[in-house]
Amino acid sequence: MRIKGDVRSEDAAHKRSVLSRLQTRALSAVSALPILLTASFSAHAEDMLGLIDTPFGMKVGTFEVVQFAMFLGAMGAALLSAGWLIRERSRIAHENRHLRDKVADLNVTVQRNEALLNLKDQRVIVWEGSSSTPVLIGSLPPEIGVPESRSLFLAFGRWLRVESVTLLDRSVSALREKARPFDIAIETSKGTPLEVQGRTSGGYAIVRFINPGEVRAAQAMLKAENYHLSEAVATLRGLLDAIDMPAWSRSSEGQLNWVNLAYAKAVDERDPNSAVRDGRELFGIQARERIERDKTLNRKFHDQLSTVVGGDRHVFSVTDIAASNGSAGMAIDISEAELIREEFKRTVLNHSDTLDQLNSAVAMFDANRKLQFFNQAFAKLWGLETPFLESNPDNAMLLDRFRSDGILPEQPDWRRWKEQVLSAYHSIESQEYVWHLTDGRTLRVIVNPQPKGGVTWVFENLTEKLELESRYNTLIKVQGQTLDYLAEGVAVFGSDGKVRLANPAFASLWSLKSEQVAEGTHISAIRRVCEPVSDADNWESFVTTVTGFDDERRSLSGHIELTTGKILSYATAPLPNGQTMLTFVDVTDSVQVERALKEKNEALERTDELKNDFVQHVSYELRSPLTNIMGFTELLQTPMTGPLNDRQRDYLDHIGTSSSVLLTIVNDILDLATVDAGIMELDISDVSVTDAVTVASEKVADRLKEHNILLDTRIETGTGSFRADAARIKQVLSNLLSNAANYAPEGSTITLKCWREQTEMVFSVMDNGPGMPDYVLNSIFKRFQPYPNGGRKRGAGLGLSIVKGFVELHGGTVDIDSSAGKGTLVTCRFPLEARSFSLAAE
């Protein structure tokens, strides 16, 4: 055995080491002797030349003393070395006895190990270094399918299963090349499990095959199964890493313990390990809590969840399965699929909606001849109920029902006729029929096969079409006769510029002969005849319109004055198929009348402008003297001008009152003139409804008090303010209250209401006066037309005109509700956000 040789070589080496140490010590002792002699000689150098007296009276020379000392030293050193050598020899002998005992023990151990290795339940393969020839020790029972021969045993593929051979070869290669130990379980071709252990020791690679017992066989099977499962898990994880779908697994505590590359990419991590280490979650807290709830109840979760990946929101179909030691899940990005599905649903819905709008009946049947789709025209055509059609009836059953309901006419051989119609399910070409129903309707039936075996039925009701064709033919005849008797000249030209139709009036208006406008005559030939008596530019435009190829065909209209004094009104109209119609009407008399009316209208407009200029000029001219009159009237009423008697004071009061009324009229006229000129601008601001009503009420307070009239103001809560011109709003309310005070009976009540209605601010003024008949309401807003019925004084008739003008300038409206004997209600509606409108003069 190799172990014995190792022990003997180790013993010899030890002995050689001991002898070497002894020799070294002896040499060192001998070498030390001259040193001692030299030291002794140097110590007694001074006495070497003289003699030394001894106690016995003998005289000894110094040289003899030195020699004697040297002798004594050498003898002492020799004695010491001999003693030391004897002691070392004894110790070495003791060590040799110990080593011989140890070698004997090792030999016993080797023999025992050899006995163990030569057992019939294991076999060992030993490779020394990189040698390719191994040493085999031991044996395995032949009944388990393991060959005894060395060469057959090393040919693993002959007695092991394929998967075991692959596993063993891979493990042995890793052991010899990378010193990677292994413990695996393999199976023989007979299905017997074996345990295989691989280890390295020094420069040896050792592989041991062990035949386990029943328990160990079960353990070996479990080990093999565990290996296969590990390989399967590794394969599955490799597959999951290769697919672009986030996948993960969790521990029993719910912590991530593995994710694939797609998961790491979705959570913006460099690699899966970083995602697991940092605990990066793909879904939010609420989504994860929902997953855990479902897994607690049903052991699994399967639903759609949304999250943000790469800055965009994505929808995932998530499946998460719970196990005893954790859970695993996978998410499939269905964002694009959802978009496609939604687009498909919208497309189908749009198609369904489109088909529902068709007048043609459409029905689709699948390969089993079951109704899958129908539009409303189909149900209406055959008079079928929607619930019945939604029950997916059979195509043959529908035909039988049409026959039993008396809609389809009887056929000589109904069965053969039905089989012929239903043969479309086995046809590759579309089929077309014409069905004449018993109720007089005529249907054009198209049966179109579908790629997946179904068919699509299209029913086109030709009844109206046939009737229309008949009517059209009749109409064409009537139209031709009508055109022949029209006083209006009509000519229709094709896209090639040739006459398609021309009535006699066309030839008469242009003094043409019938052959000159016959069918097929080109418009250029007609142009050459007609240009001398008309404007050449007009006929140039006619030719361009008829023969042009513009994408946008426009209509032309106008007048042509002939050299004969005749005036023709013309019009061109594009017709289908590139045709163009020219019409001419003799409007000589009407044009002359129109010209006369236009001249009179222009004269009236100039008169109206003069009137407006006069009113505006007079108004401005009146304002200055009125201001002076009012100023001097107020000055006369002051004490500094001297005392006045009562009559003079009354006169001054009347002068002031009349001047104020006249100034109000002048200001109203100026306001209306500004509105008519379109130059009035509103000063838009926040208008408090309460303030505006208060100011307007104060202006008419004296008139109301004079006639014992009460003013009932009702402003709804929350009315607040709105955007408008505050001065104009107050003026509108003042005019409305003044108008109501003029017609309200003494002792009555005028009601002023204000409320907010959606996007409008509404004011209404109600009085209990005599009201106005309907014929007055039509002209109530006209200027300088006061209605004196029941009024206390006659005004200039500008109050309501100013109200209407200012309200409409704000973009609002004015309504009047009045009838004789029932009072008058005026309602003004202002937008909450006013904007200025230009108003034309009335």
Side-chain angles (χ1 to χ4, degrees):
M1 286 297 293
R2 182 77 182 181
I3 297 176
K4 293 180 180 179
D6 292 343
V7 173
R8 292 193 186 98
S9 62
E10 186 178 352
D11 188 15
H14 181 68
K15 290 179 179 180
R16 286 195 296 271
S17 176
V18 171
L19 290 176
S20 177
R21 289 199 301 271
L22 290 175
Q23 291 174 359
T24 302
R25 291 181 183 180
L27 289 175
S28 61
V30 173
S31 63
L33 182 59
I35 297 173
L36 293 174
L37 293 176
T38 302
S40 175
F41 178 78
S42 61
H44 301 280
E46 295 180 354
D47 297 334
M48 287 180 65
L49 298 177
L51 297 175
I52 301 174
D53 292 333
T54 62
F56 304 101
M58 295 176 64
K59 291 188 182 285
V60 181
T62 305
F63 182 75
E64 287 82 355
V65 174
V66 171
Q67 286 182 340
F68 181 72
M70 290 176 61
F71 175 75
L72 290 176
M75 289 300 292
L79 292 174
L80 290 173
S81 297
W84 182 81
L85 287 172
I86 293 169
R87 188 179 61 183
E88 284 296 319
R89 185 176 181 180
S90 177
R91 187 179 62 80
I92 291 172
H94 177 72
E95 289 181 355
N96 286 337
R97 288 193 300 271
H98 178 71
L99 289 173
R100 283 194 294 271
D101 294 340
K102 188 173 182 180
V103 168
D105 293 338
L106 290 174
N107 288 331
V108 173
T109 303
V110 169
Q111 293 174 1
R112 183 173 62 250
N113 289 339
E114 287 181 348
L116 291 174
L117 290 174
N118 287 321
L119 293 176
K120 290 186 177 181
D121 60 351
Q122 63 180 352
R123 197 167 193 180
V124 181
I125 304 176
V126 181
W127 286 272
E128 183 178 359
S130 59
S131 175
S132 60
T133 303
V135 176
L136 272 68
I137 305 172
S139 64
L140 292 169
E143 60 270 13
I144 66 176
V146 180
E148 185 67 25
S149 171
R150 169 191 175 90
S151 58
L152 293 178
F153 181 82
L154 293 177
F156 301 132
R158 294 189 176 185
W159 57 277
L160 289 177
R161 291 189 174 180
V162 177
E163 60 271 15
S164 297
V165 173
T166 304
L167 173 61
L168 181 59
D169 288 342
R170 188 165 60 244
S171 301
V172 171
S173 298
L175 175 68
R176 297 191 62 191
E177 296 173 2
K178 302 179 181 179
R180 184 179 299 166
F182 64 87
D183 288 276
I184 61 175
I186 61 177
E187 292 184 39
T188 66
S189 57
K190 292 184 178 182
T192 304
L194 292 176
E195 290 185 6
V196 184
Q197 298 176 352
R199 300 290 187 273
T200 58
S201 176
Y204 298 95
I206 303 170
V207 176
R208 185 170 64 164
F209 294 80
I210 304 172
N211 179 26
E214 293 183 359
V215 176
R216 296 185 63 185
Q219 293 178 351
M221 291 295 293
L222 290 175
K223 190 178 294 184
E225 184 179 355
N226 179 62
Y227 174 80
H228 293 316
L229 290 176
S230 299
E231 288 293 316
V233 170
T235 303
L236 288 176
R237 287 189 174 181
L239 174 63
L240 292 175
D241 275 334
I243 63 178
D244 191 19
M245 300 177 187
W248 62 90
S249 64
R250 298 180 184 273
S251 63
S252 56
E253 291 79 15
Q255 301 297 324
L256 289 172
N257 54 25
W258 178 86
V259 299
N260 66 345
L261 292 173
Y263 185 101
K265 182 179 178 181
V267 297
D268 296 330
E269 285 290 346
R270 298 187 305 275
D271 55 76
N273 294 330
S274 301
V276 173
R277 183 179 62 252
D278 298 339
R280 295 295 298 274
E281 295 290 349
L282 179 62
F283 299 102
I285 296 176
Q286 294 182 353
R288 298 201 304 273
E289 290 178 350
R290 179 184 171 192
I291 293 175
E292 293 301 325
R293 285 196 304 269
D294 285 11
K295 287 195 299 184
T296 302
L297 296 175
N298 304 320
R299 304 294 295 172
K300 68 177 181 179
F301 172 85
H302 182 73
D303 204 349
Q304 295 180 5
L305 298 175
S306 65
T307 187
V308 176
V309 176
D312 297 326
R313 181 158 294 277
H314 290 250
V315 179
F316 289 90
S317 177
V318 181
T319 302
D320 203 315
I321 305 298
S324 58
N325 293 326
S327 63
M330 177 181 289
I332 303 174
D333 191 348
I334 59 173
S335 303
E336 185 175 354
E338 285 297 316
L339 292 176
I340 295 175
R341 184 179 292 107
E342 292 299 325
E343 184 65 25
F344 176 74
K345 289 181 180 178
R346 286 194 294 270
T347 302
V348 172
L349 183 60
N350 290 337
H351 288 175
S352 300
D353 293 341
T354 302
L355 292 176
D356 274 338
Q357 301 302 319
L358 292 179
N359 292 326
S360 298
V362 179
M364 298 181 183
F365 295 82
D366 59 14
N368 297 323
R369 302 184 181 183
K370 298 293 184 180
L371 180 64
Q372 299 298 321
F373 172 81
F374 64 92
N375 63 353
Q376 296 301 318
F378 179 82
K380 183 178 179 181
L381 174 67
W382 300 106
L384 300 174
E385 302 83 2
T386 301
F388 169 73
L389 294 174
E390 291 178 348
S391 65
N392 308 112
D394 185 78
N395 197 348
M397 184 182 72
L398 281 177
L399 293 176
D400 290 336
R401 175 165 177 173
F402 297 158
R403 178 193 180 192
S404 62
D405 290 344
I407 301 176
L408 288 177
E410 285 293 338
Q411 303 294 332
D413 189 343
W414 172 258
R415 178 176 298 178
R416 180 175 297 178
W417 180 86
K418 185 169 66 172
E419 289 177 355
Q420 179 185 358
V421 171
L422 297 179
S423 64
Y425 284 94
H426 308 289
S427 175
I428 60 175
E429 299 291 338
S430 298
Q431 299 179 9
E432 184 172 342
Y433 308 97
V434 176
W435 290 358
H436 299 281
L437 305 185
T438 56
D439 57 3
R441 291 179 295 174
T442 301
L443 301 181
R444 176 172 174 254
V445 182
I446 301 174
V447 189
N448 185 29
Q450 297 177 0
K452 295 185 178 181
V455 297
T456 300
W457 291 75
V458 180
F459 301 90
E460 184 181 358
N461 192 345
L462 300 179
T463 308
E464 294 183 2
K465 181 179 179 181
L466 296 176
E467 292 179 357
L468 288 175
E469 287 181 356
S470 175
R471 292 179 183 177
Y472 174 77
N473 294 330
T474 304
L475 200 60
I476 289 297
K477 295 179 180 179
V478 173
Q479 183 181 12
Q481 295 180 0
T482 303
L483 289 175
D484 289 342
Y485 290 98
L486 279 179
E488 182 179 5
V490 178
V492 177
F493 297 87
S495 57
D496 55 357
K498 295 182 179 180
V499 175
R500 294 287 186 270
L501 173 68
N503 65 347
F506 179 80
S508 174
L509 290 174
W510 289 100
S511 302
L512 299 173
K513 297 179 181 179
S514 58
E515 59 270 14
Q516 291 177 319
V517 291
E519 184 176 355
T521 304
H522 200 273
I523 189 173
S524 58
I526 301 175
R527 171 186 178 182
R528 286 192 295 270
V529 178
C530 298
E531 268 188 350
V533 296
S534 64
D535 189 355
D537 292 339
N538 287 324
W539 273 101
E540 179 67 27
S541 63
F542 294 158
V543 174
T544 302
T545 301
V546 170
T547 61
F549 295 97
D550 295 337
D551 294 335
E552 184 179 358
R553 302 171 64 199
R554 298 180 180 180
S555 300
L556 301 177
S557 61
H559 293 83
I560 300 177
E561 189 167 354
L562 306 184
T563 56
T564 59
K566 186 185 296 184
I567 300 174
L568 302 179
S569 174
Y570 68 87
T572 66
L575 300 178
N577 299 325
Q579 299 183 113
T580 306
M581 180 176 67
L582 295 181
T583 60
F584 297 92
V585 180
D586 188 353
V587 293
T588 306
D589 297 336
S590 60
V591 167
Q592 292 176 351
V593 173
E594 181 182 354
R595 289 175 179 174
L597 293 176
K598 186 178 294 185
E599 292 175 357
K600 292 182 179 180
N601 185 57
E602 290 175 354
L604 291 175
E605 288 180 353
R606 288 194 296 271
T607 303
D608 188 63
E609 290 177 0
L610 291 174
K611 180 204 69 174
N612 290 335
D613 293 340
F614 172 76
V615 171
Q616 188 172 1
H617 179 72
V618 170
S619 298
Y620 275 110
E621 292 298 328
L622 288 176
R623 177 176 284 182
S624 296
L626 277 175
T627 303
N628 293 333
I629 293 172
M630 294 176 66
F632 282 112
T633 302
E634 292 177 357
L635 183 62
L636 288 175
Q637 290 177 339
T638 60
M640 59 182 299
T641 58
L644 299 173
N645 55 37
D646 294 339
R647 180 174 295 180
Q648 290 173 337
R649 289 192 186 92
D650 292 340
Y651 291 162
L652 287 176
D653 289 339
H654 285 297
I655 293 173
T657 301
S658 300
S659 299
S660 298
V661 172
L662 183 58
L663 182 60
T664 300
I665 295 173
V666 170
N667 288 334
D668 290 345
I669 293 174
L670 287 176
D671 287 340
L672 289 175
T674 305
V675 172
D676 292 342
I679 59 175
M680 175 170 282
E681 295 183 359
L682 298 178
D683 184 11
I684 305 299
S685 62
D686 290 332
V687 179
S688 173
V689 173
T690 303
D691 294 344
V693 171
T694 302
V695 172
S697 301
E698 290 176 353
K699 289 184 178 181
V700 297
D702 293 339
R703 293 184 60 184
L704 297 177
K705 184 177 180 181
E706 179 183 357
H707 301 287
N708 193 24
I709 299 174
L710 296 178
L711 177 61
D712 183 10
T713 303
R714 301 178 185 178
I715 302 176
E716 289 189 1
T717 305
T719 303
S721 60
F722 65 106
R723 300 280 296 173
D725 189 329
R728 302 307 179 187
I729 296 298
K730 295 172 184 178
Q731 189 173 354
V732 167
L733 295 178
S734 298
N735 287 357
L736 291 177
L737 293 176
S738 298
N739 186 72
N742 189 39
Y743 291 98
E746 292 192 3
S748 63
T749 301
I750 297 175
T751 303
L752 171 60
K753 295 181 181 180
C754 178
W755 68 92
R756 184 185 294 264
E757 186 175 293
Q758 296 180 353
T759 60
E760 295 179 331
M761 188 67 69
V762 185
F763 296 90
S764 69
V765 177
M766 178 69 185
D767 64 69
N768 297 322
M772 293 175 284
D774 294 338
Y775 70 90
V776 175
L777 292 176
N778 296 330
S779 60
I780 193 64
F781 292 114
K782 292 185 178 180
R783 302 168 188 178
F784 306 108
Q785 293 188 12
Y787 177 65
N789 183 28
R792 294 182 176 84
K793 58 181 180 178
R794 183 182 181 89
L798 298 176
L800 292 180
S801 298
I802 292 176
V803 168
K804 187 175 186 296
F806 286 166
V807 172
E808 292 180 349
L809 195 62
H810 280 79
T813 58
V814 181
D815 297 321
I816 294 183
D817 183 12
S818 180
S819 59
K822 295 184 178 180
T824 301
L825 173 64
V826 182
T827 304
C828 299
R829 298 177 180 271
F830 294 90
L832 295 179
E833 184 69 30
R835 54 191 180 92
S836 182
F837 290 82
S838 297
L839 301 178
E842 295 183 358

Short mmCIF file of all heavy atoms in Angstrom, two decimals, residues 226-259:
data_model
loop_
_atom_site.label_atom_id
_atom_site.label_comp_id
_atom_site.label_asym_id
_atom_site.label_seq_id
_atom_site.Cartn_x
_atom_site.Cartn_y
_atom_site.Cartn_z
N ASN A 226 -35.06 15.84 -6.08
CA ASN A 226 -34.73 17.22 -5.71
C ASN A 226 -33.86 17.87 -6.77
O ASN A 226 -34.05 19.04 -7.13
CB ASN A 226 -34.04 17.25 -4.36
CG ASN A 226 -33.65 18.66 -3.96
OD1 ASN A 226 -34.50 19.51 -3.79
ND2 ASN A 226 -32.36 18.90 -3.80
N TYR A 227 -32.91 17.07 -7.28
CA TYR A 227 -32.05 17.63 -8.33
C TYR A 227 -32.88 17.97 -9.57
O TYR A 227 -32.72 19.04 -10.17
CB TYR A 227 -30.94 16.64 -8.67
CG TYR A 227 -30.12 17.09 -9.84
CD1 TYR A 227 -29.12 18.04 -9.67
CD2 TYR A 227 -30.35 16.58 -11.11
CE1 TYR A 227 -28.37 18.46 -10.76
CE2 TYR A 227 -29.61 17.00 -12.19
CZ TYR A 227 -28.61 17.94 -12.02
OH TYR A 227 -27.88 18.37 -13.09
N HIS A 228 -33.73 17.03 -9.96
CA HIS A 228 -34.56 17.29 -11.14
C HIS A 228 -35.45 18.51 -10.93
O HIS A 228 -35.62 19.32 -11.85
CB HIS A 228 -35.40 16.06 -11.47
CG HIS A 228 -34.60 14.88 -11.91
ND1 HIS A 228 -33.56 14.97 -12.81
CD2 HIS A 228 -34.68 13.55 -11.57
CE1 HIS A 228 -33.02 13.79 -13.03
NE2 HIS A 228 -33.69 12.90 -12.27
N LEU A 229 -36.00 18.59 -9.71
CA LEU A 229 -36.84 19.75 -9.42
C LEU A 229 -36.02 21.03 -9.47
O LEU A 229 -36.48 22.06 -9.98
CB LEU A 229 -37.52 19.59 -8.06
CG LEU A 229 -38.61 18.52 -7.98
CD1 LEU A 229 -39.12 18.40 -6.56
CD2 LEU A 229 -39.76 18.85 -8.92
N SER A 230 -34.80 20.96 -8.92
CA SER A 230 -33.95 22.15 -8.96
C SER A 230 -33.63 22.54 -10.39
O SER A 230 -33.65 23.72 -10.75
CB SER A 230 -32.66 21.90 -8.17
OG SER A 230 -32.95 21.61 -6.82
N GLU A 231 -33.34 21.50 -11.20
CA GLU A 231 -33.08 21.79 -12.61
C GLU A 231 -34.31 22.37 -13.29
O GLU A 231 -34.23 23.29 -14.10
CB GLU A 231 -32.64 20.51 -13.32
CG GLU A 231 -31.25 20.04 -12.96
CD GLU A 231 -30.19 21.00 -13.45
OE1 GLU A 231 -30.29 21.45 -14.60
OE2 GLU A 231 -29.27 21.32 -12.68
N ALA A 232 -35.48 21.80 -12.95
CA ALA A 232 -36.72 22.32 -13.54
C ALA A 232 -36.96 23.76 -13.12
O ALA A 232 -37.36 24.60 -13.94
CB ALA A 232 -37.90 21.43 -13.15
N VAL A 233 -36.73 24.05 -11.81
CA VAL A 233 -36.90 25.43 -11.34
C VAL A 233 -35.93 26.36 -12.03
O VAL A 233 -36.29 27.47 -12.46
CB VAL A 233 -36.73 25.48 -9.81
CG1 VAL A 233 -36.66 26.92 -9.33
CG2 VAL A 233 -37.87 24.76 -9.11
N ALA A 234 -34.67 25.91 -12.17
CA ALA A 234 -33.69 26.74 -12.85
C ALA A 234 -34.09 26.97 -14.31
O ALA A 234 -33.94 28.07 -14.84
CB ALA A 234 -32.31 26.08 -12.78
N THR A 235 -34.62 25.90 -14.94
CA THR A 235 -35.07 26.05 -16.33
C THR A 235 -36.23 27.02 -16.44
O THR A 235 -36.27 27.89 -17.34
CB THR A 235 -35.47 24.68 -16.90
OG1 THR A 235 -34.37 23.78 -16.78
CG2 THR A 235 -35.87 24.80 -18.36
N LEU A 236 -37.18 26.87 -15.50
CA LEU A 236 -38.33 27.77 -15.53
C LEU A 236 -37.91 29.21 -15.28
O LEU A 236 -38.40 30.14 -15.93
CB LEU A 236 -39.36 27.32 -14.48
CG LEU A 236 -40.14 26.05 -14.81
CD1 LEU A 236 -41.03 25.67 -13.64
CD2 LEU A 236 -40.98 26.23 -16.08
N ARG A 237 -36.99 29.39 -14.33
CA ARG A 237 -36.53 30.76 -14.06
C ARG A 237 -35.76 31.31 -15.26
O ARG A 237 -35.85 32.50 -15.57
CB ARG A 237 -35.66 30.77 -12.81
CG ARG A 237 -36.47 30.58 -11.53
CD ARG A 237 -35.64 30.81 -10.30
NE ARG A 237 -36.47 30.77 -9.09
CZ ARG A 237 -36.01 30.96 -7.86
NH1 ARG A 237 -34.73 31.20 -7.67
NH2 ARG A 237 -36.84 30.92 -6.83
N GLY A 238 -35.00 30.44 -15.93
CA GLY A 238 -34.33 30.89 -17.14
C GLY A 238 -35.33 31.29 -18.21
O GLY A 238 -35.14 32.28 -18.92
N LEU A 239 -36.39 30.48 -18.33
CA LEU A 239 -37.45 30.83 -19.28
C LEU A 239 -38.11 32.15 -18.90
O LEU A 239 -38.35 33.01 -19.76
CB LEU A 239 -38.49 29.72 -19.33
CG LEU A 239 -39.74 29.98 -20.19
CD1 LEU A 239 -39.35 30.17 -21.65
CD2 LEU A 239 -40.74 28.85 -20.03
N LEU A 240 -38.40 32.32 -17.61
CA LEU A 240 -39.04 33.56 -17.16
C LEU A 240 -38.12 34.76 -17.36
O LEU A 240 -38.59 35.87 -17.62
CB LEU A 240 -39.44 33.44 -15.68
CG LEU A 240 -40.55 32.43 -15.39
CD1 LEU A 240 -40.77 32.32 -13.89
CD2 LEU A 240 -41.84 32.84 -16.07
N ASP A 241 -36.81 34.55 -17.24
CA ASP A 241 -35.87 35.65 -17.50
C ASP A 241 -35.84 36.02 -18.97
O ASP A 241 -35.54 37.15 -19.33
CB ASP A 241 -34.46 35.26 -17.04
CG ASP A 241 -34.24 35.53 -15.57
OD1 ASP A 241 -34.91 36.42 -15.03
OD2 ASP A 241 -33.40 34.84 -14.94
N ALA A 242 -36.15 35.03 -19.83
CA ALA A 242 -36.07 35.28 -21.27
C ALA A 242 -37.32 35.96 -21.83
O ALA A 242 -37.26 36.58 -22.88
CB ALA A 242 -35.83 33.96 -22.02
N ILE A 243 -38.46 35.84 -21.15
CA ILE A 243 -39.70 36.42 -21.66
C ILE A 243 -39.86 37.83 -21.14
O ILE A 243 -39.32 38.20 -20.08
CB ILE A 243 -40.92 35.56 -21.29
CG1 ILE A 243 -41.08 35.51 -19.76
CG2 ILE A 243 -40.78 34.18 -21.86
CD1 ILE A 243 -42.29 34.73 -19.30
N ASP A 244 -40.59 38.62 -21.87
CA ASP A 244 -40.80 40.02 -21.52
C ASP A 244 -42.07 40.19 -20.70
O ASP A 244 -42.98 40.94 -21.07
CB ASP A 244 -40.87 40.87 -22.79
CG ASP A 244 -40.81 42.36 -22.50
OD1 ASP A 244 -40.38 42.73 -21.40
OD2 ASP A 244 -41.24 43.15 -23.37
N MET A 245 -42.15 39.44 -19.60
CA MET A 245 -43.29 39.52 -18.70
C MET A 245 -42.77 39.52 -17.27
O MET A 245 -42.04 38.59 -16.89
CB MET A 245 -44.23 38.31 -18.89
CG MET A 245 -44.82 38.19 -20.27
SD MET A 245 -45.83 36.70 -20.40
CE MET A 245 -46.21 36.72 -22.16
N PRO A 246 -43.07 40.53 -16.47
CA PRO A 246 -42.60 40.55 -15.09
C PRO A 246 -43.11 39.33 -14.32
O PRO A 246 -44.29 38.98 -14.36
CB PRO A 246 -43.19 41.85 -14.53
CG PRO A 246 -43.45 42.70 -15.72
CD PRO A 246 -43.81 41.76 -16.82
N ALA A 247 -42.18 38.64 -13.62
CA ALA A 247 -42.52 37.48 -12.79
C ALA A 247 -41.77 37.59 -11.47
O ALA A 247 -40.68 38.19 -11.41
CB ALA A 247 -42.18 36.18 -13.51
N TRP A 248 -42.33 37.01 -10.41
CA TRP A 248 -41.74 37.14 -9.09
C TRP A 248 -42.18 35.97 -8.21
O TRP A 248 -43.13 35.26 -8.52
CB TRP A 248 -42.16 38.46 -8.44
CG TRP A 248 -43.64 38.56 -8.23
CD1 TRP A 248 -44.35 38.18 -7.14
CD2 TRP A 248 -44.60 39.06 -9.19
NE1 TRP A 248 -45.68 38.40 -7.33
CE2 TRP A 248 -45.87 38.95 -8.57
CE3 TRP A 248 -44.50 39.58 -10.47
CZ2 TRP A 248 -47.03 39.34 -9.23
CZ3 TRP A 248 -45.66 39.98 -11.10
CH2 TRP A 248 -46.90 39.86 -10.49
N SER A 249 -41.44 35.80 -7.12
CA SER A 249 -41.84 34.86 -6.08
C SER A 249 -41.59 35.52 -4.73
O SER A 249 -40.68 36.35 -4.60
CB SER A 249 -41.06 33.54 -6.19
OG SER A 249 -39.68 33.76 -5.96
N ARG A 250 -42.39 35.14 -3.73
CA ARG A 250 -42.31 35.75 -2.41
C ARG A 250 -42.17 34.67 -1.35
O ARG A 250 -42.59 33.52 -1.54
CB ARG A 250 -43.56 36.59 -2.12
CG ARG A 250 -43.76 37.75 -3.09
CD ARG A 250 -45.02 38.54 -2.74
NE ARG A 250 -45.27 39.60 -3.71
CZ ARG A 250 -44.73 40.82 -3.62
NH1 ARG A 250 -43.94 41.12 -2.60
NH2 ARG A 250 -45.00 41.73 -4.53
N SER A 251 -41.59 35.09 -0.24
CA SER A 251 -41.49 34.19 0.91
C SER A 251 -42.83 34.13 1.64
O SER A 251 -43.79 34.82 1.27
CB SER A 251 -40.39 34.68 1.86
OG SER A 251 -40.74 35.96 2.38
N SER A 252 -42.86 33.30 2.66
CA SER A 252 -44.11 33.18 3.43
C SER A 252 -44.45 34.49 4.14
O SER A 252 -45.61 34.72 4.48
CB SER A 252 -43.98 32.05 4.45
OG SER A 252 -42.85 32.28 5.30
N GLU A 253 -43.44 35.35 4.37
CA GLU A 253 -43.70 36.66 4.99
C GLU A 253 -44.13 37.71 3.98
O GLU A 253 -44.39 38.86 4.34
CB GLU A 253 -42.45 37.16 5.73
CG GLU A 253 -42.09 36.37 6.98
CD GLU A 253 -41.39 35.07 6.64
OE1 GLU A 253 -40.94 34.96 5.47
OE2 GLU A 253 -41.30 34.18 7.50
N GLY A 254 -44.18 37.34 2.71
CA GLY A 254 -44.62 38.28 1.68
C GLY A 254 -43.49 39.11 1.10
O GLY A 254 -43.75 40.03 0.31
N GLN A 255 -42.23 38.80 1.44
CA GLN A 255 -41.11 39.56 0.92
C GLN A 255 -40.64 38.94 -0.40
O GLN A 255 -40.64 37.73 -0.58
CB GLN A 255 -39.95 39.56 1.93
CG GLN A 255 -40.30 40.15 3.27
CD GLN A 255 -40.68 41.62 3.17
OE1 GLN A 255 -40.10 42.36 2.37
NE2 GLN A 255 -41.64 42.04 3.97
N LEU A 256 -40.23 39.81 -1.33
CA LEU A 256 -39.69 39.33 -2.59
C LEU A 256 -38.42 38.53 -2.36
O LEU A 256 -37.52 38.97 -1.64
CB LEU A 256 -39.38 40.50 -3.53
CG LEU A 256 -40.57 41.26 -4.14
CD1 LEU A 256 -40.06 42.50 -4.88
CD2 LEU A 256 -41.35 40.37 -5.08
N ASN A 257 -38.32 37.31 -2.95
CA ASN A 257 -37.08 36.55 -2.89
C ASN A 257 -36.52 36.21 -4.27
O ASN A 257 -35.43 35.67 -4.38
CB ASN A 257 -37.27 35.26 -2.07
CG ASN A 257 -38.43 34.42 -2.59
OD1 ASN A 257 -38.80 34.51 -3.76
ND2 ASN A 257 -39.01 33.63 -1.71
N TRP A 258 -37.29 36.50 -5.32
CA TRP A 258 -36.78 36.32 -6.69
C TRP A 258 -37.67 37.10 -7.65
O TRP A 258 -38.89 37.12 -7.51
CB TRP A 258 -36.78 34.85 -7.08
CG TRP A 258 -36.31 34.64 -8.49
CD1 TRP A 258 -35.04 34.50 -8.92
CD2 TRP A 258 -37.14 34.58 -9.66
NE1 TRP A 258 -34.99 34.36 -10.28
CE2 TRP A 258 -36.28 34.39 -10.77
CE3 TRP A 258 -38.51 34.65 -9.88
CZ2 TRP A 258 -36.75 34.30 -12.06
CZ3 TRP A 258 -38.98 34.56 -11.18
CH2 TRP A 258 -38.11 34.38 -12.25
N VAL A 259 -37.03 37.77 -8.63
CA VAL A 259 -37.74 38.43 -9.73
C VAL A 259 -36.95 38.17 -11.00
O VAL A 259 -35.75 37.86 -10.96
CB VAL A 259 -37.89 39.95 -9.50
CG1 VAL A 259 -38.70 40.24 -8.26
CG2 VAL A 259 -36.51 40.62 -9.40
#
